[in-house]
């Protein structure tokens, strides 16, 4: 389990945290020291557990080396709290860069429904390398209603990613063909290769995040039993859903409940990774981790999945939106141009606005991946959306909740609907295959007029005053 980050101090309204991005040795392969980039020198970074309605300020200090020791780029950073409706100047705009020896204080209002988020690097041109090296951590806000879902030590975040190693057990960044991206042959969960978790005979909630640079997963249990889905990117689903397998692209999050009470003590249950088109599969990537049932339940409190998770839905929930509310439909085509992946035939240009929804407007965005060849996990900053359909058919059962990232498979067309709120300003949409992102498969849109510039709060040179 990643450690929990404690506030540096708290006031009546605000909790203050501090994180330092730094190079450090980590024991990933037993007996070897692997150099990583980590928040506070660890991967995953410490988990922030924030309370809805309380402001959080996170000081992010860039103490990385000036130049990457093997790849040679300058180690600038930009921290994105993925899934948060941040103001533009705190959203991790790709060109809002903090160089080594500087820091920036990020302000988060935490006004959205509770959810599983993650903070990660978003620096232009080098997001893939920085995240791959370890700059990622969980940020979790409480779901609000006192539901009897598993809590405490039975509520476990799982950050899944794949990596490659050199013969001396250092991380190897090899993007290979840019069509594909980076595909590793070692699966890490919370920074450890193919770990084993000892579990009791009761229900557990797992917050599963795909933090891979490029790989998607098709997850299933070795027993064939179904997962019970209770959360998507945007928090609790309206009602639980069930599926025996699910597809999860880079940056997507799903909260699943597994009931180990159905297994006897001594049972081993493997979280498997099934084949998926255009992944590079290895013998070692067919399993992710293992659960060993080792004891009877020591507690049966919070051991229920209620039939309704969000009674009546909350105000502003995108799951309540209907196509009739949309004031327009925009088309986004993901296709090849100049040997790279583009959005509507264009590449990243921070000065170009490609969509201008009014503040509060409801729009349908059509994601079209009709040129074939690859899949794209598409992420919209600021807003949660509802998937209306996929190739004219209803979305998968596990997608029936608010999303901010969606898998757009080969030759697929999706329609999603969102209300563009709560802030004015410029935000990004991009492919979360980070190799595609770094080859500028990004665009930006502006909500309303007169919002703050994404670069209006520049970083400050160290030393930093006390928070």
């Amino acid at each position: 389990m990643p450690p929990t980050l404690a506030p540096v101090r708290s006031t009546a309204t605000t909790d203050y945290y501090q994180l330092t991005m730094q190079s450090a040795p980590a024991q990933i392969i037993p007996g070897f020291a692997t150099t990583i980039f980590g928040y506070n020198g660890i991967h995953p970074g410490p988990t922030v557990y924030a309370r809805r309605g309380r402001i959080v300020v996170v000081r992010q200090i860039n103490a990385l080396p000036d130049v990457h020791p093997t790849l040679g780029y300058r180690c600038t950073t930009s921290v994105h709290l993925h899934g948060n409706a941040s103001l533009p100047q705190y959203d991790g705009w790709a060109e809002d860069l903090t160089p080594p020896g500087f820091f920036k204080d990020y302000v988060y209002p935490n006004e959205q429904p509770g959810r599983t988020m993650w903070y990660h690097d978003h620096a232009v041109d080098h997001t893939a390398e920085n995240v791959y090296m370890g700059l990622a951590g969980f940020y979790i806000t409480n779901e609000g209603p006192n539901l009897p879902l598993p809590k405490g030590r039975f509520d476990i975040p799982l950050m899944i990613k794949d990596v490659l190693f050199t013969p001396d057990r250092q991380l190897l960044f090899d993007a290979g063909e840019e069509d594909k991206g980076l595909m590793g042959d070692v699966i890490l969960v919370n920074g450890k290769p193919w770990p084993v978790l000892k579990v009791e005979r009761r229900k557990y909630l797992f917050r599963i995040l795909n933090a891979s640079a490029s790989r998607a997963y098709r997850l299933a249990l070795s027993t064939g039993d179904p997962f019970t889905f209770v959360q998507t990117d945007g928090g609790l689903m309206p009602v639980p859903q069930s599926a025996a397998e699910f597809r999860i692209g880079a940056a997507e999050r799903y909260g699943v409940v597994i009931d180990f009470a159905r297994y006897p003590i001594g049972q081993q249950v493997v979280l498997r990774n099934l084949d998926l088109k255009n992944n590079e599969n290895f013998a070692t990537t067919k399993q992710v981790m293992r659960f060993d049932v080792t004891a009877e339940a020591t507690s049966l409190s919070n051991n229920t999945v209620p039939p309704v998770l969000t009674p009546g839905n909350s105000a502003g929930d995108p799951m309540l939106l209907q196509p009739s509310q949309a004031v327009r439909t925009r088309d986004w085509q993901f296709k090849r141009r100049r040997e790279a992946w583009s959005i509507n035939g264009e590449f990243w240009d921070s000065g170009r606005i490609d969509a201008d929804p009014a503040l509060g407007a409801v729009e349908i965005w059509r994601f079209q991946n009709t040129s074939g060849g690859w899949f794209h996990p598409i992420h919209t900053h600021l807003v949660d959306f509802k998937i209306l359909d996929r190739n004219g058919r209803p979305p998968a059962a596990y997608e029936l909740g608010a999303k901010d990232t969606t898998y757009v498979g080969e030759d697929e067309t999706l329609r999603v609907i969102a209300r563009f709120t709560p802030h004015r300003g410029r935000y990004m949409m991009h492919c979360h295959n980070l190799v595609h992102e770094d080859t500028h498969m990004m665009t930006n849109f502006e909500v309303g007029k007169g919002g703050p510039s994404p670069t209006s709060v520049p970083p400050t040179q160290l030393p930093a005053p006390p928070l």
Side-chain angles (χ1 to χ4, degrees), residues 328-346:
R328 67 171 298 170
T329 296
R330 298 182 195 266
D331 287 324
W332 302 98
Q333 296 182 346
F334 310 119
K335 56 187 179 181
R336 298 287 287 172
R337 181 186 170 212
R338 297 203 304 256
E339 305 304 315
W341 288 105
S342 71
I343 299 178
N344 284 354
E346 302 286 352

Side-chain angles (χ1 to χ4, degrees), residues 69-142:
T70 58
L71 299 176
Y73 66 89
R74 190 164 190 226
C75 296
T76 53
T77 61
S78 179
V79 181
H80 174 50
L81 180 51
H82 186 126
N84 190 64
S86 304
L87 286 162
Q89 65 270 37
Y90 303 120
D91 190 49
W93 179 257
E95 296 182 14
D96 180 26
L97 299 176
T98 299
F102 284 72
F103 72 93
K104 178 167 177 169
D105 292 341
Y106 289 81
V107 181
Y108 305 123
N110 295 313
E111 294 174 346
Q112 298 163 281
R115 61 191 58 201
T116 302
M117 297 181 279
W118 63 305
Y119 58 97
H120 65 81
D121 189 67
H122 212 280
V124 67
D125 297 331
H126 301 296
T127 295
E129 293 100 322
N130 285 346
V131 175
Y132 181 78
M133 288 291 293
L135 290 178
F138 282 102
Y139 185 111
I140 297 171
T141 51
N142 59 305

Side-chain angles (χ1 to χ4, degrees), residues 24-37 41-44 132-134 161-165 169-172 186-195:
Q27 184 171 282
I28 301 173
I29 304 298
F32 293 87
T34 300
T35 299
I36 66 163
F37 287 177
I42 61 173
H43 175 72
Y132 181 78
M133 288 291 293
K161 65 183 290 187
D162 59 327
V163 294
L164 293 163
F165 286 98
R169 305 303 190 268
Q170 298 304 305
L171 290 172
L172 171 64
V186 176
I187 304 296
L188 305 182
V189 182
N190 291 351
K192 300 297 182 184
W194 304 291

Side-chain angles (χ1 to χ4, degrees), residues 205-208 228-232 237 253-257:
L205 170 60
F206 296 102
R207 300 170 185 262
I208 298 177
T228 300
F229 293 83
V230 296
Q231 300 165 340
T232 48
M237 305 174 77
R253 288 94 64 211
Y254 289 105
V256 302
V257 172

Side-chain angles (χ1 to χ4, degrees), residues 229 232 237 241-243 245-247 254 319 387-390 393-401 403 414:
F229 293 83
T232 48
M237 305 174 77
Q241 301 290 337
S242 180
E245 62 178 61
F246 65 104
R247 188 173 64 174
Y254 289 105
M319 300 308 291
I387 301 176
L388 293 173
D389 47 55
R390 186 184 294 273
R393 297 185 294 273
Y398 56 82
E399 296 178 308
L400 297 176
K403 300 279 290 167
L414 276 72

Side-chain angles (χ1 to χ4, degrees), residues 82 116-118 138 156-162 182-183 187-189 206-221 227 229 231-234 243-256 271-279 281 285 287-288 374-379 387 390 396-399 402-410 412 414 431-434:
H82 186 126
T116 302
M117 297 181 279
W118 63 305
F138 282 102
I156 300 177
L158 299 178
M159 181 183 291
I160 301 173
K161 65 183 290 187
D162 59 327
L182 191 150
M183 297 280 173
I187 304 296
L188 305 182
V189 182
F206 296 102
R207 300 170 185 262
I208 298 177
L209 158 67
N210 179 358
S212 293
S214 303
R215 182 181 296 277
Y217 299 85
R218 186 159 67 97
L219 300 178
L221 297 176
F227 304 93
F229 293 83
Q231 300 165 340
T232 48
D233 305 337
E245 62 178 61
F246 65 104
R247 188 173 64 174
I248 181 169
E252 289 188 286
R253 288 94 64 211
Y254 289 105
V256 302
L271 182 61
R272 301 175 61 204
N273 178 32
L274 308 179
D275 289 345
L276 196 58
K277 186 177 180 181
N278 280 321
N279 271 335
N281 298 310
T285 58
Q287 66 180 47
V288 176
W374 213 253
F375 58 86
H376 303 288
I378 300 300
H379 172 45
I387 301 176
R390 186 184 294 273
Y398 56 82
E399 296 178 308
K403 300 279 290 167
D404 59 51
T405 308
T406 185
Y407 190 107
V408 184
E410 299 85 351
E412 284 189 342
L414 276 72
C431 179
H432 223 287
N433 179 328
L434 299 180

Side-chain angles (χ1 to χ4, degrees), residues 15 17 48-52 54 56 110 139-142:
D15 297 316
Y17 297 84
V48 176
Y49 286 95
R51 286 172 52 195
R52 184 181 179 189
R54 284 188 61 79
V56 164
N110 295 313
Y139 185 111
I140 297 171
T141 51
N142 59 305

